[in-house]
Amino acid sequence: SGQSRPMRILQFVQSAAAPGDANSAICAVDSYCANVEWAMNVGDKKGQILDAVVLAVRPRWVLELGTYCGYSTMRIARLLPPGARLVTLEMNQHYAQVAKQILGHAGLDTQVDLLVGASSALIPQLKKKFEMETFDLIFIDHWKASYLPDARLLEECGLLAPGTVLLADNVTCPGAPDYLQYVRNSPRYRSEYFPCQLEYLQVEDGMEKSVFLG
Ligand SMILES: Nc1ncnc2c1ncn2[C@@H]1O[C@H](/C=C/CNC(=O)c2cc([N+](=O)[O-])cc(O)c2O)[C@@H](O)[C@H]1O
Ligand SMILES: [Mg+2]
């Protein structure tokens, strides 16, 4: 069927999830990826850690780096307080198109602004584009080598305020050693590790939660 894995995930969500029901769309992606073919969604175990952080922060402005199929985008968007906005950046046009359709099926497209392009090009435009100052929560889940340069770029663009929370997926597997070393040793962050299993597998992974101190 669908020529790409994201397309096959979209087709399954459209057939198995109740329209307008975010939780059933999330369950459909997890069911497909646990039973049919693995995909690099944050998954339900790490997703529950992500949910807890979103609920604790109650963010007005959220940034996500790496939309892929929109799985974590849905998890975040469904928990946002009224009036809050989630900006998600995706450099692959095909993935962005799939994510847009999955978000639409889940009824979550009103809370989400999905921008197509590289984070390094888009991050410097965000303040002006959305007439905002700083993000309250940033979920980092794109190419692992981009974690550190993009964290530095966010600092330089003045998009972090004291208290801004950065939550990074996969700091153990595949790993983001340079990013970890930075946030754990910089006086500008208070960092905490949340051990967890990799999505859909019995492999060790974890997420790093780093609070910007200014
Ligand atoms: N600079 C940039 N700007 C915008 N979008 C960008 C970007 N760099 C990458 N992206 C997008 O972010 C996603 C990449 C995720 C890499 N994750 C991974 O490689 C990954 C791998 C495993 N794994 O191998 O087990 C497990 C995981 O949870 C993972 O997230 C893709 O959709 C890609 O197009
Ligand atoms: Mg990931």
Side-chain angles (χ1 to χ4, degrees):
S1 57
Q3 47 287 67
S4 72
R5 184 169 309 189
M7 183 58 78
R8 292 191 290 272
I9 291 169
L10 169 62
Q11 287 172 345
F12 185 77
V13 168
Q14 289 172 328
S15 65
D21 180 343
N23 286 319
S24 82
I26 289 164
C27 284
V29 176
D30 282 331
S31 168
Y32 183 81
C33 296
N35 302 306
V36 182
E37 52 179 332
W38 186 91
M40 58 185 176
N41 317 116
V42 76
D44 193 53
K45 291 198 177 82
K46 290 187 286 179
Q48 288 177 45
I49 298 170
L50 172 59
D51 289 358
V53 171
V54 175
L55 291 170
V57 174
R58 287 192 57 75
R60 167 80 183 74
W61 283 99
V62 186
L63 176 65
E64 175 179 62
L65 304 180
T67 314
Y68 189 46
C69 295
Y71 175 88
S72 49
T73 323
M74 289 195 285
R75 290 199 78 111
I76 296 166
R78 86 195 201 285
L79 298 178
L80 291 181
R85 300 209 60 69
L86 167 56
V87 179
T88 183
L89 311 183
E90 174 51 59
M91 70 195 285
N92 182 306
Q93 172 67 39
H94 174 63
Y95 296 166
Q97 195 51 35
V98 166
K100 261 193 176 62
Q101 294 177 80
I102 287 180
L103 289 160
H105 187 87
L108 290 168
D109 37 353
T110 51
Q111 296 94 314
V112 179
D113 293 285
L114 200 168
L115 305 184
V116 183
S119 51
S120 55
L122 293 173
I123 285 170
Q125 302 173 26
L126 298 177
K127 268 186 196 274
K128 196 159 184 290
K129 186 175 178 58
F130 293 103
E131 297 177 354
M132 46 82 70
E133 276 308 308
T134 56
F135 285 102
D136 307 297
L137 172 62
I138 299 168
F139 181 57
I140 309 173
D141 193 20
H142 56 341
W143 296 144
K144 308 316 163 194
S146 299
Y147 282 28
L148 179 54
D150 281 351
R152 303 285 289 134
L153 181 59
L154 287 161
E155 290 171 8
E156 283 146 27
C157 293
L159 285 163
L160 308 182
T164 295
V165 172
L166 280 68
L167 185 66
D169 189 26
N170 311 116
V171 295
T172 296
C173 174
D178 57 344
Y179 173 82
L180 267 193
Q181 199 270 340
Y182 177 70
V183 291
R184 289 177 173 174
N185 296 286
S186 164
R188 306 189 76 181
Y189 293 90
R190 184 181 60 253
S191 217
E192 181 184 358
Y193 180 66
F194 292 79
C196 197
Q197 283 181 336
L198 189 64
E199 54 264 29
Y200 318 118
L201 297 172
Q202 311 281 322
V203 169
E204 187 186 340
D205 189 16
M207 299 213 276
E208 190 83 358
K209 177 187 163 197
S210 308
V211 182
F212 185 66
L213 303 174

mmCIF file of all heavy atoms in Angstrom, residues 5 29-30 33-35 37-47 68 71-72 75 139 141-142 144 147 168-175 196-207:
data_model
loop_
_atom_site.group_PDB
_atom_site.id
_atom_site.type_symbol
_atom_site.label_atom_id
_atom_site.label_comp_id
_atom_site.label_asym_id
_atom_site.label_seq_id
_atom_site.Cartn_x
_atom_site.Cartn_y
_atom_site.Cartn_z
ATOM 1 N N ARG A 5 6.765 4.775 4.737
ATOM 2 C CA ARG A 5 6.316 4.375 6.072
ATOM 3 C C ARG A 5 5.376 5.426 6.664
ATOM 4 O O ARG A 5 4.299 5.072 7.151
ATOM 5 C CB ARG A 5 7.539 4.151 6.987
ATOM 6 C CG ARG A 5 7.187 3.641 8.357
ATOM 7 C CD ARG A 5 8.393 3.187 9.137
ATOM 8 N NE ARG A 5 9.218 2.256 8.365
ATOM 9 C CZ ARG A 5 10.235 1.576 8.887
ATOM 10 N NH1 ARG A 5 10.548 1.701 10.156
ATOM 11 N NH2 ARG A 5 10.954 0.767 8.135
ATOM 12 N N VAL A 29 -1.334 5.086 16.055
ATOM 13 C CA VAL A 29 0.083 5.122 15.656
ATOM 14 C C VAL A 29 0.874 4.118 16.489
ATOM 15 O O VAL A 29 1.656 3.324 15.949
ATOM 16 C CB VAL A 29 0.683 6.530 15.818
ATOM 17 C CG1 VAL A 29 2.187 6.513 15.500
ATOM 18 C CG2 VAL A 29 -0.027 7.539 14.921
ATOM 19 N N ASP A 30 0.646 4.101 17.782
ATOM 20 C CA ASP A 30 1.394 3.178 18.653
ATOM 21 C C ASP A 30 1.080 1.728 18.310
ATOM 22 O O ASP A 30 1.980 0.879 18.258
ATOM 23 C CB ASP A 30 1.061 3.447 20.124
ATOM 24 C CG ASP A 30 1.793 4.662 20.675
ATOM 25 O OD1 ASP A 30 2.902 4.970 20.189
ATOM 26 O OD2 ASP A 30 1.248 5.316 21.587
ATOM 27 N N CYS A 33 2.878 0.872 14.973
ATOM 28 C CA CYS A 33 4.339 0.823 15.064
ATOM 29 C C CYS A 33 4.836 -0.260 16.020
ATOM 30 O O CYS A 33 5.964 -0.733 15.913
ATOM 31 C CB CYS A 33 4.891 2.190 15.466
ATOM 32 S SG CYS A 33 4.546 3.435 14.214
ATOM 33 N N ALA A 34 3.980 -0.669 16.957
ATOM 34 C CA ALA A 34 4.359 -1.767 17.859
ATOM 35 C C ALA A 34 4.140 -3.121 17.192
ATOM 36 O O ALA A 34 4.858 -4.078 17.452
ATOM 37 C CB ALA A 34 3.548 -1.675 19.147
ATOM 38 N N ASN A 35 3.163 -3.203 16.277
ATOM 39 C CA ASN A 35 2.772 -4.514 15.731
ATOM 40 C C ASN A 35 3.073 -4.727 14.254
ATOM 41 O O ASN A 35 3.196 -5.851 13.812
ATOM 42 C CB ASN A 35 1.268 -4.729 15.956
ATOM 43 C CG ASN A 35 0.917 -4.657 17.422
ATOM 44 O OD1 ASN A 35 1.497 -5.356 18.238
ATOM 45 N ND2 ASN A 35 0.011 -3.750 17.771
ATOM 46 N N GLU A 37 5.113 -2.115 11.812
ATOM 47 C CA GLU A 37 6.488 -1.681 11.496
ATOM 48 C C GLU A 37 6.907 -0.537 12.429
ATOM 49 O O GLU A 37 6.194 0.418 12.631
ATOM 50 C CB GLU A 37 6.625 -1.265 10.017
ATOM 51 C CG GLU A 37 5.638 -0.249 9.490
ATOM 52 C CD GLU A 37 5.899 0.094 8.020
ATOM 53 O OE1 GLU A 37 7.056 -0.002 7.559
ATOM 54 O OE2 GLU A 37 4.938 0.476 7.337
ATOM 55 N N TRP A 38 8.110 -0.698 12.947
ATOM 56 C CA TRP A 38 8.691 0.284 13.850
ATOM 57 C C TRP A 38 8.818 1.628 13.164
ATOM 58 O O TRP A 38 9.083 1.711 11.958
ATOM 59 C CB TRP A 38 10.084 -0.205 14.284
ATOM 60 C CG TRP A 38 10.723 0.660 15.336
ATOM 61 C CD1 TRP A 38 10.627 0.506 16.692
ATOM 62 C CD2 TRP A 38 11.566 1.806 15.116
ATOM 63 N NE1 TRP A 38 11.348 1.490 17.337
ATOM 64 C CE2 TRP A 38 11.938 2.299 16.387
ATOM 65 C CE3 TRP A 38 12.042 2.483 13.969
ATOM 66 C CZ2 TRP A 38 12.760 3.419 16.554
ATOM 67 C CZ3 TRP A 38 12.851 3.587 14.122
ATOM 68 C CH2 TRP A 38 13.202 4.044 15.418
ATOM 69 N N ALA A 39 8.603 2.707 13.934
ATOM 70 C CA ALA A 39 8.884 4.043 13.409
ATOM 71 C C ALA A 39 9.378 4.908 14.555
ATOM 72 O O ALA A 39 9.121 4.621 15.721
ATOM 73 C CB ALA A 39 7.636 4.664 12.763
ATOM 74 N N MET A 40 10.081 5.996 14.236
ATOM 75 C CA MET A 40 10.774 6.768 15.260
ATOM 76 C C MET A 40 9.886 7.812 15.946
ATOM 77 O O MET A 40 10.284 8.973 16.121
ATOM 78 C CB MET A 40 12.019 7.430 14.665
ATOM 79 C CG MET A 40 11.763 8.343 13.485
ATOM 80 S SD MET A 40 13.334 8.946 12.801
ATOM 81 C CE MET A 40 12.732 9.849 11.395
ATOM 82 N N ASN A 41 8.679 7.369 16.361
ATOM 83 C CA ASN A 41 7.831 8.226 17.184
ATOM 84 C C ASN A 41 8.337 8.129 18.626
ATOM 85 O O ASN A 41 8.903 7.114 18.996
ATOM 86 C CB ASN A 41 6.373 7.758 17.142
ATOM 87 C CG ASN A 41 5.899 7.380 15.752
ATOM 88 O OD1 ASN A 41 5.567 6.234 15.492
ATOM 89 N ND2 ASN A 41 5.908 8.341 14.843
ATOM 90 N N VAL A 42 8.075 9.143 19.449
ATOM 91 C CA VAL A 42 8.555 9.075 20.830
ATOM 92 C C VAL A 42 7.912 7.891 21.560
ATOM 93 O O VAL A 42 8.478 7.350 22.514
ATOM 94 C CB VAL A 42 8.332 10.436 21.546
ATOM 95 C CG1 VAL A 42 6.874 10.648 21.931
ATOM 96 C CG2 VAL A 42 9.229 10.559 22.761
ATOM 97 N N GLY A 43 6.753 7.476 21.126
ATOM 98 C CA GLY A 43 6.097 6.289 21.694
ATOM 99 C C GLY A 43 5.347 6.581 22.985
ATOM 100 O O GLY A 43 5.402 7.693 23.506
ATOM 101 N N ASP A 44 4.675 5.540 23.518
ATOM 102 C CA ASP A 44 3.786 5.781 24.648
ATOM 103 C C ASP A 44 4.511 5.888 25.991
ATOM 104 O O ASP A 44 4.107 6.661 26.861
ATOM 105 C CB ASP A 44 2.735 4.667 24.730
ATOM 106 C CG ASP A 44 1.612 5.039 25.691
ATOM 107 O OD1 ASP A 44 1.039 6.143 25.516
ATOM 108 O OD2 ASP A 44 1.341 4.280 26.630
ATOM 109 N N LYS A 45 5.600 5.134 26.183
ATOM 110 C CA LYS A 45 6.318 5.187 27.475
ATOM 111 C C LYS A 45 6.992 6.553 27.653
ATOM 112 O O LYS A 45 6.722 7.280 28.616
ATOM 113 C CB LYS A 45 7.353 4.073 27.560
ATOM 114 C CG LYS A 45 6.752 2.667 27.669
ATOM 115 C CD LYS A 45 7.794 1.681 28.191
ATOM 116 C CE LYS A 45 7.214 0.286 28.394
ATOM 117 N NZ LYS A 45 7.164 -0.466 27.121
ATOM 118 N N LYS A 46 7.812 6.940 26.707
ATOM 119 C CA LYS A 46 8.431 8.272 26.774
ATOM 120 C C LYS A 46 7.366 9.346 26.588
ATOM 121 O O LYS A 46 7.464 10.435 27.151
ATOM 122 C CB LYS A 46 9.548 8.404 25.731
ATOM 123 C CG LYS A 46 10.776 7.554 26.058
ATOM 124 C CD LYS A 46 11.914 7.849 25.077
ATOM 125 C CE LYS A 46 11.639 7.249 23.721
ATOM 126 N NZ LYS A 46 12.732 7.566 22.756
ATOM 127 N N GLY A 47 6.312 9.004 25.848
ATOM 128 C CA GLY A 47 5.213 9.953 25.645
ATOM 129 C C GLY A 47 4.539 10.332 26.944
ATOM 130 O O GLY A 47 4.080 11.465 27.110
ATOM 131 N N TYR A 68 8.222 14.885 12.086
ATOM 132 C CA TYR A 68 8.064 13.533 11.512
ATOM 133 C C TYR A 68 6.589 13.317 11.181
ATOM 134 O O TYR A 68 6.010 14.083 10.405
ATOM 135 C CB TYR A 68 8.704 12.477 12.414
ATOM 136 C CG TYR A 68 8.772 11.106 11.784
ATOM 137 C CD1 TYR A 68 9.207 10.935 10.471
ATOM 138 C CD2 TYR A 68 8.360 9.972 12.494
ATOM 139 C CE1 TYR A 68 9.256 9.682 9.887
ATOM 140 C CE2 TYR A 68 8.394 8.711 11.917
ATOM 141 C CZ TYR A 68 8.844 8.575 10.616
ATOM 142 O OH TYR A 68 8.869 7.323 10.039
ATOM 143 N N TYR A 71 3.310 12.554 15.756
ATOM 144 C CA TYR A 71 2.887 11.794 16.945
ATOM 145 C C TYR A 71 3.087 12.615 18.212
ATOM 146 O O TYR A 71 2.145 12.823 18.988
ATOM 147 C CB TYR A 71 3.663 10.472 17.020
ATOM 148 C CG TYR A 71 3.389 9.677 18.271
ATOM 149 C CD1 TYR A 71 2.334 8.774 18.328
ATOM 150 C CD2 TYR A 71 4.185 9.835 19.411
ATOM 151 C CE1 TYR A 71 2.080 8.040 19.486
ATOM 152 C CE2 TYR A 71 3.937 9.109 20.569
ATOM 153 C CZ TYR A 71 2.888 8.220 20.601
ATOM 154 O OH TYR A 71 2.638 7.513 21.758
ATOM 155 N N SER A 72 4.301 13.120 18.439
ATOM 156 C CA SER A 72 4.530 13.910 19.668
ATOM 157 C C SER A 72 3.828 15.264 19.563
ATOM 158 O O SER A 72 3.413 15.829 20.578
ATOM 159 C CB SER A 72 6.027 14.086 19.923
ATOM 160 O OG SER A 72 6.693 14.534 18.761
ATOM 161 N N ARG A 75 0.549 14.553 20.974
ATOM 162 C CA ARG A 75 0.590 14.373 22.431
ATOM 163 C C ARG A 75 0.654 15.720 23.141
ATOM 164 O O ARG A 75 -0.035 15.952 24.132
ATOM 165 C CB ARG A 75 1.766 13.499 22.843
ATOM 166 C CG ARG A 75 1.631 12.030 22.440
ATOM 167 C CD ARG A 75 2.554 11.137 23.243
ATOM 168 N NE ARG A 75 2.029 10.881 24.564
ATOM 169 C CZ ARG A 75 1.577 9.680 24.957
ATOM 170 N NH1 ARG A 75 1.577 8.641 24.128
ATOM 171 N NH2 ARG A 75 1.104 9.519 26.189
ATOM 172 N N PHE A 139 10.464 20.858 22.781
ATOM 173 C CA PHE A 139 10.666 19.413 22.660
ATOM 174 C C PHE A 139 11.604 19.176 21.492
ATOM 175 O O PHE A 139 11.327 19.566 20.356
ATOM 176 C CB PHE A 139 9.339 18.671 22.445
ATOM 177 C CG PHE A 139 9.512 17.185 22.338
ATOM 178 C CD1 PHE A 139 10.121 16.464 23.367
ATOM 179 C CD2 PHE A 139 9.093 16.478 21.212
ATOM 180 C CE1 PHE A 139 10.291 15.095 23.281
ATOM 181 C CE2 PHE A 139 9.267 15.110 21.115
ATOM 182 C CZ PHE A 139 9.867 14.423 22.150
ATOM 183 N N ASP A 141 13.606 16.629 19.074
ATOM 184 C CA ASP A 141 13.534 15.225 18.619
ATOM 185 C C ASP A 141 13.882 15.114 17.140
ATOM 186 O O ASP A 141 13.320 14.278 16.424
ATOM 187 C CB ASP A 141 12.129 14.679 18.891
ATOM 188 C CG ASP A 141 12.050 13.158 18.738
ATOM 189 O OD1 ASP A 141 13.104 12.500 18.799
ATOM 190 O OD2 ASP A 141 10.933 12.639 18.525
ATOM 191 N N HIS A 142 14.826 15.978 16.651
ATOM 192 C CA HIS A 142 15.192 15.903 15.240
ATOM 193 C C HIS A 142 16.535 15.205 15.076
ATOM 194 O O HIS A 142 16.884 14.358 15.921
ATOM 195 C CB HIS A 142 15.147 17.324 14.608
ATOM 196 C CG HIS A 142 15.995 18.371 15.281
ATOM 197 N ND1 HIS A 142 16.466 18.254 16.567
ATOM 198 C CD2 HIS A 142 16.428 19.576 14.815
ATOM 199 C CE1 HIS A 142 17.163 19.348 16.852
ATOM 200 N NE2 HIS A 142 17.147 20.167 15.812
ATOM 201 N N LYS A 144 20.068 14.031 15.685
ATOM 202 C CA LYS A 144 20.713 14.148 17.011
ATOM 203 C C LYS A 144 21.909 15.087 16.986
ATOM 204 O O LYS A 144 22.201 15.746 17.976
ATOM 205 C CB LYS A 144 21.107 12.762 17.527
ATOM 206 C CG LYS A 144 19.942 11.754 17.492
ATOM 207 C CD LYS A 144 18.619 12.345 18.005
ATOM 208 C CE LYS A 144 17.399 11.534 17.599
ATOM 209 N NZ LYS A 144 16.125 12.282 17.815
ATOM 210 N N TYR A 147 20.938 18.781 17.853
ATOM 211 C CA TYR A 147 20.439 19.212 19.174
ATOM 212 C C TYR A 147 21.254 20.374 19.732
ATOM 213 O O TYR A 147 20.720 21.411 20.116
ATOM 214 C CB TYR A 147 20.503 18.059 20.192
ATOM 215 C CG TYR A 147 19.431 17.001 20.124
ATOM 216 C CD1 TYR A 147 18.767 16.677 18.953
ATOM 217 C CD2 TYR A 147 19.090 16.291 21.297
ATOM 218 C CE1 TYR A 147 17.794 15.677 18.934
ATOM 219 C CE2 TYR A 147 18.119 15.290 21.281
ATOM 220 C CZ TYR A 147 17.477 14.997 20.097
ATOM 221 O OH TYR A 147 16.515 14.007 20.078
ATOM 222 N N ALA A 168 14.585 16.819 25.706
ATOM 223 C CA ALA A 168 15.246 16.201 24.553
ATOM 224 C C ALA A 168 15.038 14.694 24.543
ATOM 225 O O ALA A 168 15.310 14.012 25.539
ATOM 226 C CB ALA A 168 16.744 16.524 24.581
ATOM 227 N N ASP A 169 14.544 14.158 23.430
ATOM 228 C CA ASP A 169 14.366 12.713 23.274
ATOM 229 C C ASP A 169 15.709 12.075 22.884
ATOM 230 O O ASP A 169 16.609 12.735 22.372
ATOM 231 C CB ASP A 169 13.323 12.438 22.185
ATOM 232 C CG ASP A 169 12.931 10.956 22.132
ATOM 233 O OD1 ASP A 169 13.047 10.272 23.175
ATOM 234 O OD2 ASP A 169 12.546 10.488 21.054
ATOM 235 N N ASN A 170 15.852 10.775 23.144
ATOM 236 C CA ASN A 170 16.948 9.958 22.620
ATOM 237 C C ASN A 170 18.341 10.339 23.094
ATOM 238 O O ASN A 170 19.314 10.119 22.358
ATOM 239 C CB ASN A 170 16.961 9.988 21.086
ATOM 240 C CG ASN A 170 15.625 9.714 20.483
ATOM 241 O OD1 ASN A 170 15.052 10.581 19.817
ATOM 242 N ND2 ASN A 170 15.101 8.521 20.721
ATOM 243 N N VAL A 171 18.473 10.881 24.276
ATOM 244 C CA VAL A 171 19.813 11.294 24.691
ATOM 245 C C VAL A 171 20.697 10.080 25.008
ATOM 246 O O VAL A 171 21.927 10.208 25.080
ATOM 247 C CB VAL A 171 19.778 12.281 25.872
ATOM 248 C CG1 VAL A 171 19.113 13.600 25.449
ATOM 249 C CG2 VAL A 171 19.085 11.690 27.090
ATOM 250 N N THR A 172 20.066 8.911 25.140
ATOM 251 C CA THR A 172 20.836 7.669 25.312
ATOM 252 C C THR A 172 20.895 6.870 24.018
ATOM 253 O O THR A 172 21.943 6.408 23.607
ATOM 254 C CB THR A 172 20.234 6.823 26.459
ATOM 255 O OG1 THR A 172 20.378 7.561 27.674
ATOM 256 C CG2 THR A 172 20.944 5.475 26.584
ATOM 257 N N CYS A 173 19.739 6.724 23.335
ATOM 258 C CA CYS A 173 19.722 5.959 22.075
ATOM 259 C C CYS A 173 18.830 6.665 21.056
ATOM 260 O O CYS A 173 17.663 6.883 21.336
ATOM 261 C CB CYS A 173 19.186 4.543 22.321
ATOM 262 S SG CYS A 173 18.984 3.588 20.797
ATOM 263 N N PRO A 174 19.362 7.103 19.930
ATOM 264 C CA PRO A 174 20.740 6.971 19.438
ATOM 265 C C PRO A 174 21.783 7.764 20.212
ATOM 266 O O PRO A 174 22.977 7.499 20.080
ATOM 267 C CB PRO A 174 20.655 7.464 17.992
ATOM 268 C CG PRO A 174 19.226 7.366 17.613
ATOM 269 C CD PRO A 174 18.478 7.648 18.890
ATOM 270 N N GLY A 175 21.385 8.730 21.012
ATOM 271 C CA GLY A 175 22.356 9.492 21.786
ATOM 272 C C GLY A 175 22.622 10.866 21.203
ATOM 273 O O GLY A 175 22.561 11.051 19.993
ATOM 274 N N CYS A 196 14.245 5.668 30.336
ATOM 275 C CA CYS A 196 13.034 5.066 29.800
ATOM 276 C C CYS A 196 13.441 4.107 28.688
ATOM 277 O O CYS A 196 14.601 4.077 28.282
ATOM 278 C CB CYS A 196 12.123 6.160 29.233
ATOM 279 S SG CYS A 196 10.430 5.597 29.011
ATOM 280 N N GLN A 197 12.499 3.302 28.199
ATOM 281 C CA GLN A 197 12.826 2.416 27.089
ATOM 282 C C GLN A 197 12.616 3.149 25.766
ATOM 283 O O GLN A 197 11.774 4.041 25.663
ATOM 284 C CB GLN A 197 11.934 1.173 27.117
ATOM 285 C CG GLN A 197 12.374 0.166 28.166
ATOM 286 C CD GLN A 197 11.490 -1.081 28.171
ATOM 287 O OE1 GLN A 197 10.333 -1.030 27.748
ATOM 288 N NE2 GLN A 197 12.042 -2.173 28.656
ATOM 289 N N LEU A 198 13.373 2.743 24.778
ATOM 290 C CA LEU A 198 13.189 3.248 23.417
ATOM 291 C C LEU A 198 11.799 2.857 22.939
ATOM 292 O O LEU A 198 11.235 1.841 23.401
ATOM 293 C CB LEU A 198 14.240 2.609 22.498
ATOM 294 C CG LEU A 198 14.366 3.153 21.093
ATOM 295 C CD1 LEU A 198 14.836 4.598 21.103
ATOM 296 C CD2 LEU A 198 15.297 2.282 20.283
ATOM 297 N N GLU A 199 11.234 3.675 22.051
ATOM 298 C CA GLU A 199 9.883 3.397 21.567
ATOM 299 C C GLU A 199 9.761 1.984 20.985
ATOM 300 O O GLU A 199 10.586 1.544 20.212
ATOM 301 C CB GLU A 199 9.455 4.428 20.502
ATOM 302 C CG GLU A 199 10.392 4.606 19.331
ATOM 303 C CD GLU A 199 11.339 5.772 19.537
ATOM 304 O OE1 GLU A 199 11.663 6.068 20.693
ATOM 305 O OE2 GLU A 199 11.779 6.364 18.557
ATOM 306 N N TYR A 200 8.748 1.255 21.451
ATOM 307 C CA TYR A 200 8.337 -0.046 20.900
ATOM 308 C C TYR A 200 9.392 -1.137 21.052
ATOM 309 O O TYR A 200 9.247 -2.212 20.500
ATOM 310 C CB TYR A 200 7.950 0.076 19.417
ATOM 311 C CG TYR A 200 7.120 1.298 19.096
ATOM 312 C CD1 TYR A 200 7.598 2.282 18.222
ATOM 313 C CD2 TYR A 200 5.882 1.523 19.697
ATOM 314 C CE1 TYR A 200 6.857 3.419 17.931
ATOM 315 C CE2 TYR A 200 5.127 2.666 19.416
ATOM 316 C CZ TYR A 200 5.629 3.613 18.545
ATOM 317 O OH TYR A 200 4.922 4.750 18.263
ATOM 318 N N LEU A 201 10.494 -0.897 21.767
ATOM 319 C CA LEU A 201 11.570 -1.899 21.882
ATOM 320 C C LEU A 201 12.033 -2.023 23.339
ATOM 321 O O LEU A 201 11.784 -1.133 24.157
ATOM 322 C CB LEU A 201 12.765 -1.488 20.998
ATOM 323 C CG LEU A 201 12.512 -1.412 19.495
ATOM 324 C CD1 LEU A 201 13.715 -0.808 18.777
ATOM 325 C CD2 LEU A 201 12.195 -2.788 18.924
ATOM 326 N N GLN A 202 12.733 -3.142 23.633
ATOM 327 C CA GLN A 202 13.293 -3.352 24.984
ATOM 328 C C GLN A 202 14.730 -2.850 25.009
ATOM 329 O O GLN A 202 15.644 -3.588 25.323
ATOM 330 C CB GLN A 202 13.292 -4.855 25.325
ATOM 331 C CG GLN A 202 11.978 -5.551 25.078
ATOM 332 C CD GLN A 202 10.989 -5.289 26.195
ATOM 333 O OE1 GLN A 202 11.378 -5.232 27.364
ATOM 334 N NE2 GLN A 202 9.734 -5.083 25.830
ATOM 335 N N VAL A 203 14.901 -1.620 24.584
ATOM 336 C CA VAL A 203 16.240 -1.021 24.509
ATOM 337 C C VAL A 203 16.257 0.195 25.435
ATOM 338 O O VAL A 203 15.246 0.918 25.532
ATOM 339 C CB VAL A 203 16.527 -0.580 23.046
ATOM 340 C CG1 VAL A 203 17.770 0.287 22.968
ATOM 341 C CG2 VAL A 203 16.631 -1.803 22.141
ATOM 342 N N GLU A 204 17.364 0.434 26.112
ATOM 343 C CA GLU A 204 17.433 1.570 27.028
ATOM 344 C C GLU A 204 17.546 2.898 26.273
ATOM 345 O O GLU A 204 18.344 3.039 25.344
ATOM 346 C CB GLU A 204 18.629 1.420 27.977
ATOM 347 C CG GLU A 204 18.645 2.502 29.072
ATOM 348 C CD GLU A 204 19.900 2.460 29.942
ATOM 349 O OE1 GLU A 204 20.548 1.402 29.963
ATOM 350 O OE2 GLU A 204 20.209 3.494 30.556
ATOM 351 N N ASP A 205 16.720 3.856 26.663
ATOM 352 C CA ASP A 205 16.841 5.222 26.169
ATOM 353 C C ASP A 205 16.522 6.137 27.355
ATOM 354 O O ASP A 205 16.406 5.670 28.496
ATOM 355 C CB ASP A 205 15.867 5.479 24.992
ATOM 356 C CG ASP A 205 16.138 6.834 24.328
ATOM 357 O OD1 ASP A 205 17.231 7.410 24.555
ATOM 358 O OD2 ASP A 205 15.251 7.316 23.589
ATOM 359 N N GLY A 206 16.410 7.396 27.086
ATOM 360 C CA GLY A 206 16.058 8.341 28.135
ATOM 361 C C GLY A 206 15.872 9.724 27.554
ATOM 362 O O GLY A 206 16.288 9.992 26.423
ATOM 363 N N MET A 207 15.197 10.576 28.341
ATOM 364 C CA MET A 207 14.988 11.963 27.942
ATOM 365 C C MET A 207 15.675 12.865 28.962
ATOM 366 O O MET A 207 15.757 12.541 30.142
ATOM 367 C CB MET A 207 13.496 12.274 27.853
ATOM 368 C CG MET A 207 12.778 11.402 26.814
ATOM 369 S SD MET A 207 11.435 12.295 26.062
ATOM 370 C CE MET A 207 10.180 11.997 27.280
#
